[in-house]
Amino acid sequence: MSPVEKHDDTIVREFTRQAEGFADPRRNSAFTAQLGRLVRFLEPELDLEDVVLEVAAGTALVSRAIAGRVRHATALDLTPAMLAEGKRAADASGVTNMTFTRGDATGLPYLDRSFTLVVTRFSMHQVRDPEAVVREMVRVARPGAAIVVADIVRPSSGAGDPDRIERLRDPSHASLRTEAEIAAMLAEAGAEVRRAERFDVVRPLDPWLAFTGTSGETSAEVRKDLEAELAGGAPTGMRPALVDGVLHFTHAHAFIQAIAG
């Protein structure tokens, strides 16, 4: 089994385990909190004739949020349990113009120039070959179609290795990319980056660790490292902070829009 296949197996295992949490609004607030902001970012691209593809869709939060404003949306993901949760939610809310498909983001099962809007959220840091994912997104986009990548990113400046902490919490984590690196991938694949939005999100540590079922021992290690940084120790790359006496960390987010050539 190749390293990529092993990593794909890890993704399926971890997200099968997490799928129930994605369906629980009491636990899934971190994933839905910035969804409205992304929909607003997408608004200039939305059209009632759009044929949309959401790549590495998970439970298809983005597709479900915009389904009423497009002709059809396809949600593709590697993990059947995530797609099943998304399909249940779509059915429960009466969404009928969606298709849920299991597939590999690095080899999309679609013809060239099939979609008028292609979007992915929270996938670049999970996959082993983000360049291949971006190439595929551009390949299946019609000329002039918008391609939108929304993800947590590595801050362009700052010390420490956030990937180490991210992998302790979630073994399926691959590597954070900078906004500039993602923009370069889009350009290399033949798309023109037109606009971007960036912002920080400060998150409480404990719910983040609990969502993935991180063990007590590993959680204690992460907490110890972040507390040590606050006390003047080595940087973790997670930019910790105390908010009302509660330990938090900081994620950098970026939304990047490009136009397919």
Side-chain angles (χ1 to χ4, degrees):
M1 183 180 292
S2 71
V4 171
E5 289 171 327
K6 288 180 180 178
H7 186 71
D8 287 350
D9 284 350
T10 301
I11 288 175
V12 171
R13 182 183 69 246
E14 290 298 316
F15 281 93
T16 296
R17 194 164 58 83
Q18 297 175 35
E20 185 178 347
F22 277 86
D24 185 346
R26 297 168 299 178
R27 300 174 59 195
N28 196 24
S29 59
F31 291 91
T32 58
Q34 307 303 324
L35 182 60
R37 186 169 185 161
L38 177 56
V39 171
R40 291 191 293 275
F41 184 83
L42 287 168
E43 277 179 356
E45 324 305 335
L46 299 179
D47 188 281
L48 288 174
E49 292 303 311
D50 269 329
V51 182
V52 180
L53 174 64
E54 183 180 0
V55 176
T59 60
L61 281 170
V62 178
S63 298
R64 289 189 277 125
I66 65 174
R69 304 183 51 186
V70 301
R71 177 149 57 99
H72 187 271
T74 298
L76 178 138
D77 197 82
L78 195 60
T79 306
M82 296 289 279
L83 292 169
E85 292 291 354
K87 179 68 163 59
R88 276 192 284 270
D91 290 346
S93 59
V95 175
T96 58
N97 62 333
M98 283 189 66
T99 301
F100 292 80
T101 302
R102 184 176 189 271
D104 182 355
T106 65
L108 296 173
Y110 306 110
L111 297 174
D112 295 358
R113 303 182 176 190
S114 293
F115 297 93
T116 60
L117 173 61
V118 185
V119 60
T120 189
R121 182 178 188 237
F122 294 153
S123 67
M124 292 291 103
H125 69 278
Q126 294 288 157
V127 297
R128 285 287 298 267
D129 191 353
E131 291 86 357
V133 174
V134 170
R135 285 195 300 270
E136 282 293 274
M137 291 175 67
V138 174
R139 178 184 66 78
V140 301
R142 295 179 188 172
I147 300 161
V148 174
V149 176
D151 214 321
I152 56 173
V153 295
R154 183 184 297 272
S156 55
S157 62
D161 179 16
D163 288 329
R164 186 183 71 83
I165 298 292
E166 295 279 358
R167 291 187 195 116
L168 283 173
R169 183 243 182 193
D170 178 3
S172 70
H173 176 89
S175 181
L176 293 173
R177 271 69 182 185
T178 65
E179 177 188 335
E181 286 173 333
I182 295 172
M185 292 178 205
L186 286 160
E188 180 67 23
E192 180 185 353
V193 175
R194 295 282 183 86
R195 58 191 177 94
E197 182 177 330
R198 61 202 62 83
F199 55 96
D200 284 345
V201 175
V202 180
R203 300 180 57 180
L205 179 66
D206 288 342
W208 183 66
L209 294 170
F211 189 84
T212 49
T214 307
S215 72
E217 181 179 354
T218 301
S219 295
E221 180 181 353
V222 171
R223 173 176 288 277
K224 179 181 177 181
D225 288 350
L226 268 60
E227 289 176 339
E229 179 177 358
L230 284 174
T236 62
M238 300 298 288
R239 295 181 290 163
L242 286 176
V243 180
D244 297 328
V246 177
L247 186 58
H248 286 58
F249 67 96
T250 307
H251 268 160
H253 288 239
F255 301 159
I256 304 168
Q257 180 256 20
I259 298 297

